[in-house]
C-alpha cells in the first residue's frame, strides 16, 4: 500500500495537489506537511503535520516511522523571494532535495516528485518555443538551484536507480491558495483586485509574455507523469511542460468584459529583470510523446472558471 508524504503542502501547488492525491490514494494514505503550523486548517481531509524540510533528522524519522513510499517535495522559496535571500533559498531549494534523494536511497522510496521551473532557462536561451535541451544559464538564485536540482535528479536516477520525476512548471495560476514570492504571482493577484472592485498595478510590463498554466492542468500533468510506466520516462532531469503564454495586458483584456470598470497600471519592479530572463513559450513535445500530455485550459476558459469559482472560495 502506498503512503504519500507531501512537503510544502500549504503552497499554491501543494494545496490542490494534496487534495487530488487523497482522491487517488485515500485520505489515510496521505500526510500533508508544511513549515507553517497554521496550515493545519487547510487539510480537513487528511493528516497534517508541521515539518521543516531543512530538519533532516525529523524528515528521516517521518519517512521511517510512517513507512512512506512516495514523496512529493514541493517546499521551495520561489524566484522573487529567493532574490532577497539567495543563500537561504539555495539551502531550502537545493539542500532539502539532496536530503530527500539520499532518503529515497536509504528507504527505497517507490517514487519521488520534485517541481522544477522555466526558471532554469536564462536570457540567452531562445525565447520562443524553448526546447527541452536548450541552453540553460539561469541568472536567478531560484533558477540556479532548480537547474542544479535537475542535474542531481538525473544523477540519482543514473547512479542509484531512484525513480525521481520532475516537471518544469510555467507560472501556475490557481484560486484555492495565494501564491508566495513568485514572479508570475501577478496573474493570481489580478483576479482578487478585479473582484474587489480595485485597480490593479502590474509589477511586470504590459507586453511581458510568459509561459503560464491553470492549476488543474498542473495537477493533471503531475499525476500523469507520476502514474506513467517507468519505461515511458525518457527525461530524468525535468520535463518541459506548456499550456499557454500571455502578457499582463492580454490577461487584463480577458478579464475586462466581466468587469468593465476594471483598470490596470504597469509599474515594473525587480521582478521584470527575472521575467526578462525566462522563455516566452515552451515546446513540450517530449512530455506529449512520452506520457501523452496535453493541456485542457487556454486563457479564456481559465478566466471564466476563476471568475466563476473565486467569489465562493474567498467568502
Ligand atoms: C515563480 O514565479 O517563481 C514560479 C515559477 C515560474 O517557477 N511561479
Amino acid at each position: 500500500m502506498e503512503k504519500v508524504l507531501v512537503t510544502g503542502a500549504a503552497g499554491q501547488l501543494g494545496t490542490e495537489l494534496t487534495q487530488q492525491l487523497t482522491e487517488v490514494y485515500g485520505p489515510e494514505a496521505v500526510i500533508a506537511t508544511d513549515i507553517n503550523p497554521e496550515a493545519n486548517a487547510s487539510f480537513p481531509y487528511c493528516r497534517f503535520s508541521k515539518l521543516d524540510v531543512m530538519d533532516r533528522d525529523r524528515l528521516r524519522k517521518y519517512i521511517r516511522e510512517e513507512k512512506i513510499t512516495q514523496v512529493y517535495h514541493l517546499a521551495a522559496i520561489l524566484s522573487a523571494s529567493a532574490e532577497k535571500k539567495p543563500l537561504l533559498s539555495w539551502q531550502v531549494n537545493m539542500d532539502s532535495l539532496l536530503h530527500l534523494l539520499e532518503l529515497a536511497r536509504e528507504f527505497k522510496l517507490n517514487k519521488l516528485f520534485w517541481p522544477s521551473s522555466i526558471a532554469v532557462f536564462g536570457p540567452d536561451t531562445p525565447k520562443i518555443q524553448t526546447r527541452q535541451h536548450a541552453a540553460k544559464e539561469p541568472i536567478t538564485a531560484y533558477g540556479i538551484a532548480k537547474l542544479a536540482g535537475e542535474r542531481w535528479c538525473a544523477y540519482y536516477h543514473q547512479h542509484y536507480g531512484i525513480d525521481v520525476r520532475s516537471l518544469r512548471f510555467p507560472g501556475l495560476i490557481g484560486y484555492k491558495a495565494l501564491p508566495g514570492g513568485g514572479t508570475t504571482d501577478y496573474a493570481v493577484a489580478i483576479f482578487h483586485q478585479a473582484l474587489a472592485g480595485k485597480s490593479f498595478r502590474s509589477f511586470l510590463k504590459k507586453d511581458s509574455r510568459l509561459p503560464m498554466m491553470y492549476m488543474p492542468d498542473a495537477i493533471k500533468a503531475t499525476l500523469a507523469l507520476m502514474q506513467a510506466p517507468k519505461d515511458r520516462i525518457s527525461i530524468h532531469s525535468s520535463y518541459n511542460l506548456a499550456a499557454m503564454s500571455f502578457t499582463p495586458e492580454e490577461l487584463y483584456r480577458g478579464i475586462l468584459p466581466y468587469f468593465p470598470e476594471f483598470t490596470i497600471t504597469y509599474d515594473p519592479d525587480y521582478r521584470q529583470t527575472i521575467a526578462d530572463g525566462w522563455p516566452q513559450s515552451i515546446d513540450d513535445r517530449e512530455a506529449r510523446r512520452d506520457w501523452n500530455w496535453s493541456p485542457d485550459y487556454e486563457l479564456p476558459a481559465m478566466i471564466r472558471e476563476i471568475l466563476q469559482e473565486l467569489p465562493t472560495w474567498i467568502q
Side-chain angles (χ1 to χ4, degrees), residues 222-289:
T222 306
L223 295 179
L225 171 69
M226 294 302 280
Q227 292 168 2
K230 198 181 280 191
D231 62 6
R232 297 301 305 268
I233 306 301
S234 70
I235 302 287
H236 297 286
S237 51
S238 188
Y239 276 92
N240 271 12
L241 189 73
M244 54 181 138
S245 292
F246 56 74
T247 66
E249 184 177 36
E250 288 166 344
L251 180 55
Y252 167 71
R253 295 207 174 284
I255 293 173
L256 199 53
Y258 298 87
F259 297 94
E261 307 306 311
F262 186 36
T263 59
I264 189 170
T265 56
Y266 299 96
D267 184 18
D269 65 14
Y270 73 101
R271 288 166 286 195
Q272 186 62 57
T273 305
I274 298 173
D276 289 345
W278 290 355
Q280 292 185 15
S281 59
I282 296 288
D283 179 323
D284 60 0
R285 68 181 72 182
E286 288 81 6
R288 293 169 187 262
R289 176 198 66 202

Side-chain angles (χ1 to χ4, degrees), residues 12 76-85 93 142 178-186 203 270-271 274 278:
Q12 203 193 3
I77 295 178
L78 296 183
S79 59
S81 296
E83 286 308 291
K84 293 175 181 168
K85 301 168 278 191
N93 293 341
Y142 175 70
L178 285 175
T183 299
T184 57
D185 293 356
Y186 85 87
F203 55 68
Y270 73 101
R271 288 166 286 195
I274 298 173
W278 290 355

Side-chain angles (χ1 to χ4, degrees), residues 167-180:
L167 296 169
R168 287 177 185 153
F169 285 121
L172 297 185
I173 301 157
Y175 60 84
K176 295 183 179 176
L178 285 175

Side-chain angles (χ1 to χ4, degrees), residues 40-306:
N40 189 16
S42 305
F43 300 97
Y45 51 79
C46 68
R47 273 177 59 192
F48 173 85
S49 285
K50 180 185 183 306
L51 180 65
D52 177 350
V53 292
M54 297 310 293
D55 183 342
R56 183 171 181 178
D57 293 339
R58 187 153 152 66
L59 196 51
R60 184 177 183 282
K61 184 169 182 285
Y62 231 99
I63 290 174
R64 187 186 71 242
E65 292 180 357
E66 294 291 343
K67 298 182 175 52
I68 298 297
T69 61
Q70 290 188 42
V71 176
Y72 287 71
H73 179 38
L74 311 180
I77 295 178
L78 296 183
S79 59
S81 296
E83 286 308 291
K84 293 175 181 168
K85 301 168 278 191
L87 292 186
L88 174 64
S89 75
W90 173 263
Q91 288 163 1
V92 172
N93 293 341
M94 186 67 259
D95 291 351
S96 70
L97 173 62
L98 276 175
H99 292 169
L100 273 159
L101 286 166
E102 275 297 291
L103 292 170
R105 275 184 78 192
E106 180 181 357
F107 293 99
K108 297 180 174 41
L109 291 186
N110 292 339
K111 285 177 194 168
L112 171 60
F113 175 77
W114 176 73
S116 184
S117 161
I118 56 173
V120 297
F121 297 109
D124 298 327
T125 307
K127 290 192 176 303
I128 309 301
Q129 288 299 300
T130 303
R131 291 297 305 272
Q132 175 73 36
H133 300 295
K136 290 176 269 300
E137 295 186 339
I139 58 170
T140 65
Y142 175 70
I144 292 165
K146 288 298 187 184
L147 180 56
E150 288 188 3
R151 299 320 312 157
W152 277 118
C153 289
Y155 184 96
Y156 270 72
H157 173 265
Q158 183 183 351
H159 290 265
Y160 309 120
I162 303 299
D163 188 357
V164 51
R165 304 184 188 187
S166 178
L167 296 169
R168 287 177 185 153
F169 285 121
L172 297 185
I173 301 157
Y175 60 84
K176 295 183 179 176
L178 285 175
T183 299
T184 57
D185 293 356
Y186 85 87
V188 177
I190 192 170
F191 288 100
H192 290 266
Q193 292 297 97
L195 276 173
K198 296 176 183 168
S199 176
F200 181 65
R201 189 169 69 177
S202 169
F203 55 68
L204 295 184
K205 294 184 301 189
K206 66 177 6 179
D207 61 350
S208 194
R209 183 173 304 281
L210 286 173
M212 296 283 196
M213 180 174 284
Y214 187 31
M215 193 61 76
D217 270 338
I219 304 300
K220 173 185 172 183
T222 306
L223 295 179
L225 171 69
M226 294 302 280
Q227 292 168 2
K230 198 181 280 191
D231 62 6
R232 297 301 305 268
I233 306 301
S234 70
I235 302 287
H236 297 286
S237 51
S238 188
Y239 276 92
N240 271 12
L241 189 73
M244 54 181 138
S245 292
F246 56 74
T247 66
E249 184 177 36
E250 288 166 344
L251 180 55
Y252 167 71
R253 295 207 174 284
I255 293 173
L256 199 53
Y258 298 87
F259 297 94
E261 307 306 311
F262 186 36
T263 59
I264 189 170
T265 56
Y266 299 96
D267 184 18
D269 65 14
Y270 73 101
R271 288 166 286 195
Q272 186 62 57
T273 305
I274 298 173
D276 289 345
W278 290 355
Q280 292 185 15
S281 59
I282 296 288
D283 179 323
D284 60 0
R285 68 181 72 182
E286 288 81 6
R288 293 169 187 262
R289 176 198 66 202
D290 288 1
W291 39 275
N292 305 316
W293 163 244
S294 69
D296 293 328
Y297 287 87
E298 279 284 352
L299 185 56
M302 180 187 78
I303 292 172
R304 186 167 48 250
E305 186 165 301
I306 291 179

